Amino acid sequence: QPVYLSDYQPPAYRVTHTELTFDLDPAATRVKARLQIERQASVDATTPLQLDGEQLTLHALLIDGAPLANSDYQVTEQGLRIDQVPASFTLESDVELSPQDNTALEGLYQSNGMYCTQCEAEGFRRITFYPDRPDVMSTFKVTVIGDRQREPILLANGNPVEQGELPNGRHFATWEDPHPKPCYLFALVAGDLHKVEDHFTTQSGRKVTLQIWVEEENLQKTDHAMGSLKRAMAWDEQAYGREYDLDLFMIVAVNDFNMGAMENKGLNIFNSAAVLAHPDTATDNAFQTVEGIVAHEYFHNWSGNRVTCRDWFQLSLKEGFTVFRDQCFSAETNSAPVKRIQDVSFFRTAQFAEDAGPTAHPVRPDHYIEITNFYTLTIYEKGAEIVRMLCNLVGWEAFRQGSDQYFQRFDGQAVTIEDFVDCMAEASGLDLSQFMRWYSQAGTPEIDVHGEYDYAHGEYHLTLRQRTPATPDQVDKEPLHIPIAMGLVGTKSGQDLTLTLDGEKLGRQAVIHLRDDEQTFVFTDVAEAPVPSLLRNFSAPVKLHFPYSREDLAFLLTHDSDGFNRWDAGQRLAMLALDDLIAAHRNGVEKVMDSRVVEAFRSLLANAPADKAVLAEMLTLPSEAYIAEQQPIVDVDAIHAAREFIRQSLAMALRDEFMATFEANRSDDAYAPIPEQIAQRSLKNVALAYLVSIEDEQGLALCEAQFAADHNMTDVRHALTLLVHSDRDDLASPALKSFGEKWAHDPLVMDQWFSVQVSRPQADVIDRVKYLMAHPAFSLKNPNRVRALIGAFAQNRVNFHRLDGQGYALLADVVIELNRLNPEIAARLITPLTRWQRFDETRQELMRSQLERIQREPLSSNVYEVVEKALA
Ligand code: ARG
Ligand code: ZN
């Protein structure tokens, strides 16, 4: 039952105004809807009205005040159909639903007794009968009726217009949203909530009230989100000229939430993990995540809400652009190179893996069974990389002009990716037709580069060959337009050389455009032999292969003017050493440490770059997951052994340097999540990790002391992780115990406690997972708990991929149970099993048999689609 992009039809009926009344009850909430509906002029009068609706009990249905007879309409599992309707009319309906039984967390559900909603993508159809598609945009007036005691706070989108008392201890509040919106942006929240309030004055002088609504015990954890919100509002004005458009902006923290957060108009709903942060309970990383997500949701007010998507195939129109916007915002408020390094290393690990697996899909898919399965790294992160390439191709000025044009021309409309790219083409005068293939072609392009220096003529010849491997249902690929930012670093001068191409001087850095399968670029006037620095700042989401020698890489590590590529040179150098060690492990040969890596690290520590956060990244070895992505067949154990060997060899060789780095970066200053402190902490903690990896006595003592000092969660959690992941259970057990007792009351901290334990490499982990699943703080019904325990375990490479298959079986058990409770989370959890083709035959067999076991169950469409693709 897939849906196809090519089948798109504009809606036959529009809803011009929507009035909803919710009478809240945990088991029997009543929703009365009054919809002003109009038939599109071009549509035949005999066209039936089709509304989406799921899991709703219909109590009444009226057209222009007259009740419909049972024979006038049909209700199916998917919705409601009325064969004869006037050209313009009012449809009233009265339906019943049960929020307390809604464990899927789509539509209207209860979380800790609080009512809340999640409608994107297709949750609104679980609230009332409606054309649940983003190209139907309507104004909304919403009345919420609840219990005065249990639900003192009643929120919906827009502006509050009325409230009052009702009989039987009930009360109501009415909200009006003047901006037409698709129903996926509808939101309602009701419960015992408490707020912090602040204000922001927009550049045109509108005073906006900002509110963050939380459960009472979380009032102390909202400062960072509020500060982030204000910074984001100011940034969108300055960077994009976008101002907020209502007098009130609300954020609500909800404990049970499938994703990070949701941009509902004027009423953003957040997973509490994505909004709450306090130095005692949240790590630096969590602080940065909160800032990024608060900004992301806020930015959607324009890129998503004012201008939305015509259909869900266009999802990346709003998500790719908004992720790009939040990345730029975070880069400005934090260390820009570190932000890029972190984003890219995540991208190359996780999105490349998605592109290489059975669920690979284009940034604009052309069909799907279940749209919730497409909230993916490809749609979000690869979509953002495409927008970034666009921005770099046309230049910031034209990009900004194009963006202004886009927001102005399409304000209040539901549009397509072409509409966006056309604005950029117009603003820049560039032909972006080949570039559009990035949206339709799945898979990661690979570029093989060959470079040759011609001493005699002072020329450098760079030949690039691109190919995109086949992906499911896309065998033949066309060449893409790939912008490659590059420089040539002179081996004598250590400087970027001036680039001359086809007689044109381009400066010391240039972007070359690869459009054909193969192209050669001849740089002239190259006075000294260079090492090419390619794909600077990751200028395109591709895998680039160049036969760098280790000497080349050590040279780039210190001389490349591009900070990102200096980091990347270090990663490539480590990868070469890791490849040797992986081979040695497989062949049972003794492992030998590559002294060039040691010397490279030594010189990094001796001539540290100014940005300590960059240094911390440079001292961090590629993760096991990243290494795995580089191997033709993933050998889990060899990768783990090789990485441990390199880590410990570095720790032994540079023990004193790491100790000195640790000492130099300790601080007793009051915690603040500011870039300088974050940088210092991350560098200190990287050093500590090396020391603990060799069970250095002094290092272990420092680690214990850092844990005991209890200065901030970043340091505490890091120390706890190092102890728990070491073989020193005598130190780990008491630390885990005291941490668990201290934070038993705080679910978000307990999530960290779960994750730390189940990500250790020791073989007892599987029993620990089972044991912790019975822990009172764990619940399969809460997505954060599931991610913290089961999700983290599935990322534990050596234990999840145990050769006895127990890891796979455990995951499958959970998926089968969650398939009934929460299909969206269940479908996401399967991901590691879908990657079976990347492993050895034994593991392939074991993984497949678990997928087949899942397939034999009665499945939700979410899980069905993923398993079907995985086994195809
Ligand atoms: N639009 C939201 C965001 O990216 C996420 C929507 C989540 N949708 C879902 N089906 N879980 O900010
Ligand atoms: Zn988003």
Side-chain angles (χ1 to χ4, degrees):
Q1 68 267 44
V3 196
Y4 291 91
L5 169 58
S6 56
D7 288 346
Y8 175 82
Q9 293 287 336
Y13 292 87
R14 295 193 306 138
V15 182
T16 54
H17 183 62
T18 302
E19 284 183 28
L20 302 171
T21 303
F22 289 79
D23 201 346
L24 296 173
D25 181 86
T29 288
R30 293 292 276 258
V31 183
K32 295 198 172 81
R34 238 183 108 84
L35 313 179
Q36 301 304 325
I37 299 183
E38 264 163 40
R39 187 161 54 230
Q40 300 282 61
S42 57
V43 168
D44 195 274
T46 58
T47 309
L49 172 75
Q50 310 246 30
L51 301 176
D52 302 296
E54 287 174 9
Q55 299 168 29
L56 301 171
T57 308
L58 182 63
H59 286 294
L61 194 61
L62 300 84
I63 285 186
D64 292 330
L68 294 193
N70 282 343
S71 55
D72 294 338
Y73 63 91
Q74 292 120 51
V75 179
T76 65
E77 296 245 299
Q78 278 82 43
L80 170 67
R81 174 189 162 117
I82 310 176
D83 283 317
Q84 288 284 310
V85 293
S88 170
F89 60 100
T90 304
L91 181 77
E92 288 170 88
S93 67
D94 178 358
V95 301
E96 183 182 318
L97 51 99
S98 175
Q100 74 180 11
D101 298 315
N102 182 351
T103 56
L105 314 185
E106 280 185 278
L108 176 65
Y109 63 94
Q110 278 194 301
S111 172
N112 261 22
M114 177 200 308
Y115 293 90
C116 61
T117 54
Q118 172 55 37
C119 295
E120 188 182 357
E122 297 180 334
F124 195 73
R125 61 188 63 185
R126 297 184 182 187
I127 290 178
T128 192
F129 289 102
Y130 204 82
D132 188 2
R133 42 188 291 168
D135 56 356
V136 171
M137 298 172 92
S138 162
T139 51
F140 279 71
K141 181 172 179 182
V142 177
T143 298
V144 189
I145 302 169
D147 183 274
R148 224 207 174 302
Q149 303 301 323
R150 284 194 313 257
E151 294 100 32
I153 302 300
L154 306 167
L155 309 175
N157 316 81
N159 302 311
V161 290
E162 207 189 332
Q163 54 181 324
E165 302 299 318
L166 293 170
N168 305 320
R170 309 283 285 174
H171 71 144
F172 77 96
T174 300
W175 295 76
E176 229 163 9
D177 183 359
H179 297 281
K181 66 168 177 287
C183 63
Y184 82 87
L185 291 173
F186 165 83
L188 171 159
V189 174
D192 185 8
L193 290 158
H194 298 258
K195 67 161 182 243
V196 287
E197 194 166 289
D198 207 330
H199 296 277
F200 180 84
T201 305
T202 67
Q203 57 188 9
S204 72
R206 182 199 281 270
K207 189 170 173 191
V208 183
T209 301
L210 312 176
Q211 298 176 340
I212 301 184
W213 293 91
V214 297
E215 290 165 305
E216 192 169 17
E217 66 266 28
N218 292 326
L219 278 169
Q220 305 313 311
K221 296 184 174 180
T222 59
D223 287 359
H224 186 64
M226 187 64 90
S228 303
L229 175 60
K230 291 198 278 184
R231 287 192 293 279
M233 294 177 87
W235 189 86
D236 213 16
E237 292 183 348
Q238 160 250 311
Y240 283 86
R242 296 294 119 199
E243 224 177 273
Y244 188 60
D245 53 7
L246 287 166
D247 299 328
L248 177 62
F249 185 83
M250 297 176 281
I251 285 177
V252 184
V254 168
N255 293 321
D256 303 272
F257 203 75
N258 283 349
M259 310 271 279
M262 179 62 212
E263 69 264 23
N264 316 300
K265 183 79 187 187
L267 179 57
N268 289 358
I269 298 183
F270 275 64
N271 185 328
S272 51
V275 59
L276 302 178
H278 185 280
D280 294 342
T281 59
T283 60
D284 288 337
N285 234 319
F287 272 87
Q288 290 174 325
T289 301
V290 166
E291 180 178 61
I293 298 184
V294 167
H296 178 98
E297 305 311 331
Y298 174 73
F299 296 156
H300 268 315
N301 190 54
W302 277 95
S303 49
N305 300 3
R306 290 289 288 253
V307 181
T308 192
C309 303
R310 186 191 73 173
D311 54 73
W312 292 119
F313 297 102
Q314 321 292 328
L315 179 57
S316 195
L317 171 68
K318 74 178 177 77
E319 295 304 345
F321 188 21
T322 304
V323 170
F324 173 66
R325 279 150 54 69
D326 85 56
Q327 287 177 348
C328 295
F329 165 77
S330 294
E332 270 179 46
T333 47
N334 299 287
S335 161
V338 169
K339 171 70 180 155
R340 189 66 184 143
I341 288 167
Q342 289 172 347
D343 286 345
V344 172
S345 80
F346 174 62
F347 185 86
R348 295 200 297 208
T349 306
Q351 199 282 329
F352 280 7
E354 186 166 280
D355 252 350
T359 58
H361 53 277
V363 170
R364 179 164 56 192
D366 53 16
H367 66 282
Y368 59 75
I369 292 180
E370 180 51 65
I371 185 60
T372 51
N373 285 337
F374 286 77
Y375 286 74
T376 59
L377 296 161
T378 300
I379 305 283
Y380 276 63
E381 267 68 25
K382 189 172 180 179
E385 291 302 321
I386 297 178
V387 175
R388 181 181 293 267
M389 285 191 284
L390 265 177
C391 178
N392 289 335
L393 275 174
V394 306
W396 169 252
E397 243 160 74
F399 185 81
R400 169 64 201 272
Q401 255 179 47
S403 146
D404 287 354
Q405 183 63 249
Y406 170 73
F407 288 129
Q408 194 201 327
R409 186 181 297 170
F410 300 114
D411 193 6
Q413 297 183 39
V415 302
T416 64
I417 286 172
E418 278 82 2
D419 291 326
F420 178 76
V421 177
D422 283 350
C423 287
M424 299 304 166
E426 270 175 46
S428 64
L430 290 181
D431 176 0
L432 297 172
S433 47
Q434 187 187 4
F435 186 83
M436 282 301 291
R437 285 181 193 155
W438 277 107
Y439 285 105
S440 54
Q441 203 162 275
T444 306
E446 302 206 26
I447 308 181
D448 289 305
V449 187
H450 175 79
E452 218 171 276
Y453 182 56
D454 177 345
Y455 283 89
H457 300 92
E459 287 178 356
Y460 192 78
H461 295 234
L462 200 61
T463 300
L464 298 94
R465 222 170 280 123
Q466 64 163 305
R467 75 199 135 86
T468 303
T471 49
D473 45 63
Q474 270 192 347
V475 181
D476 297 314
K477 307 283 182 174
E478 316 231 81
L480 294 165
H481 175 183
I482 306 176
I484 298 173
M486 60 158 295
L488 294 176
V489 191
T491 46
K492 284 211 186 85
S493 59
Q495 305 266 321
D496 280 347
L497 308 175
T498 302
L499 303 173
T500 307
L501 195 60
D502 301 325
E504 200 191 332
K505 277 210 183 346
L506 302 172
R508 289 169 185 273
Q509 170 163 318
V511 179
I512 55 176
H513 297 268
L514 178 61
R515 298 166 183 273
D516 303 337
D517 288 323
E518 179 175 333
Q519 264 168 274
T520 298
F521 299 84
V522 180
F523 296 93
T524 50
D525 302 318
V526 182
E528 48 179 308
V531 178
S533 165
L534 301 165
L535 205 68
R536 283 183 164 172
N537 212 33
F538 198 59
S539 63
V542 301
K543 289 187 185 171
L544 185 139
H545 309 287
F546 184 89
Y548 286 116
S549 69
R550 296 178 203 216
E551 288 70 23
D552 290 341
L553 292 170
F555 172 76
L556 289 177
L557 183 66
T558 44
H559 290 97
D560 201 316
S561 64
D562 184 75
F564 176 86
N565 267 19
R566 274 202 304 280
W567 167 79
D568 198 40
Q571 298 288 298
R572 286 175 187 261
L573 181 61
M575 276 309 306
L576 291 179
L578 282 161
D579 284 341
D580 290 349
L581 293 165
I582 290 167
H585 185 91
R586 294 177 66 107
N587 302 330
V589 179
E590 198 196 333
K591 298 190 188 66
V592 185
M593 180 64 187
D594 182 345
S595 61
R596 283 163 292 197
V597 177
V598 177
E599 290 322 308
F601 271 58
R602 191 191 304 284
S603 87
L604 276 177
L605 286 160
N607 319 294
D611 187 339
K612 290 183 176 181
V614 171
L615 178 57
E617 293 296 340
M618 296 182 94
L619 294 173
T620 302
L621 295 169
S623 68
E624 289 179 21
Y626 178 77
I627 301 166
E629 268 331 287
Q630 314 304 311
Q631 312 296 318
I633 286 289
V634 180
D635 184 332
V636 180
D637 303 303
I639 291 173
H640 180 70
R643 190 175 184 277
E644 282 307 296
F645 179 82
I646 235 183
R647 212 155 77 94
Q648 294 175 4
S649 304
L650 286 166
M652 281 184 289
L654 303 168
R655 189 254 173 215
D656 294 344
E657 286 85 343
F658 285 126
M659 186 60 78
T661 302
F662 179 83
E663 291 295 349
N665 290 285
R666 297 166 76 153
S667 159
D668 294 325
D669 294 353
Y671 175 93
I674 52 174
E676 307 77 63
Q677 277 200 16
I678 293 174
Q680 199 172 331
R681 270 190 291 277
S682 56
L683 180 55
K684 176 197 66 170
N685 283 332
V686 166
L688 186 60
Y690 277 105
L691 295 169
V692 172
S693 77
I694 50 171
E695 292 189 22
D696 181 89
E697 276 308 317
Q698 200 185 339
L700 280 169
L702 290 167
C703 188
E704 278 193 280
Q706 177 166 315
F707 177 78
D710 206 6
H711 186 273
N712 61 75
M713 184 51 89
T714 306
D715 285 345
V716 170
R717 146 105 187 247
H718 185 72
L720 179 69
T721 305
L722 295 181
L723 294 175
V724 173
H725 291 199
S726 78
D727 287 325
R728 294 291 300 268
D729 281 344
D730 58 321
L731 306 179
S733 301
L736 263 182
K737 184 160 180 291
S738 77
F739 189 98
E741 284 166 3
K742 175 167 182 186
W743 294 109
H745 64 282
D746 190 322
L748 295 178
V749 184
M750 289 306 279
D751 283 346
Q752 307 184 46
W753 187 75
F754 286 133
S755 297
V756 167
Q757 300 183 58
V758 301
S759 53
R760 73 200 293 253
Q762 285 77 359
D764 63 348
V765 159
I766 207 125
D767 294 329
R768 199 156 324 187
V769 177
K770 291 179 183 159
Y771 169 78
L772 290 172
M773 283 180 73
H775 193 281
F778 182 77
S779 162
L780 263 188
K781 289 189 177 166
N782 180 286
N784 289 353
R785 301 304 91 79
V786 171
R787 282 184 279 256
L789 186 59
I790 311 299
F793 167 68
Q795 302 300 319
N796 179 336
R797 305 191 64 91
V798 279
N799 280 305
F800 176 64
H801 294 285
R802 284 162 61 117
L803 271 171
D804 63 3
Q806 280 201 55
Y808 306 145
L810 188 151
L811 188 71
D813 288 344
V814 174
V815 167
I816 288 169
E817 206 168 335
L818 270 175
N819 169 62
R820 289 186 284 267
L821 293 171
N822 187 329
E824 177 172 358
I825 299 297
R828 279 174 189 276
L829 214 56
I830 310 174
T831 306
L833 280 176
T834 67
R835 307 281 157 79
W836 58 271
Q837 291 161 79
R838 304 279 293 111
F839 296 85
D840 53 86
E841 266 173 51
T842 313
R843 288 186 172 96
Q844 287 199 3
E845 207 34 61
L846 291 166
M847 292 168 95
R848 280 184 62 98
S849 76
Q850 293 304 326
L851 285 166
E852 284 159 1
R853 182 158 77 88
I854 296 171
Q855 201 179 30
R856 287 193 291 271
E857 295 285 317
L859 292 181
S860 61
S861 56
N862 309 57
V863 174
Y864 170 85
E865 181 175 38
V866 174
V867 173
E868 189 72 7
K869 283 182 175 176
L871 289 172

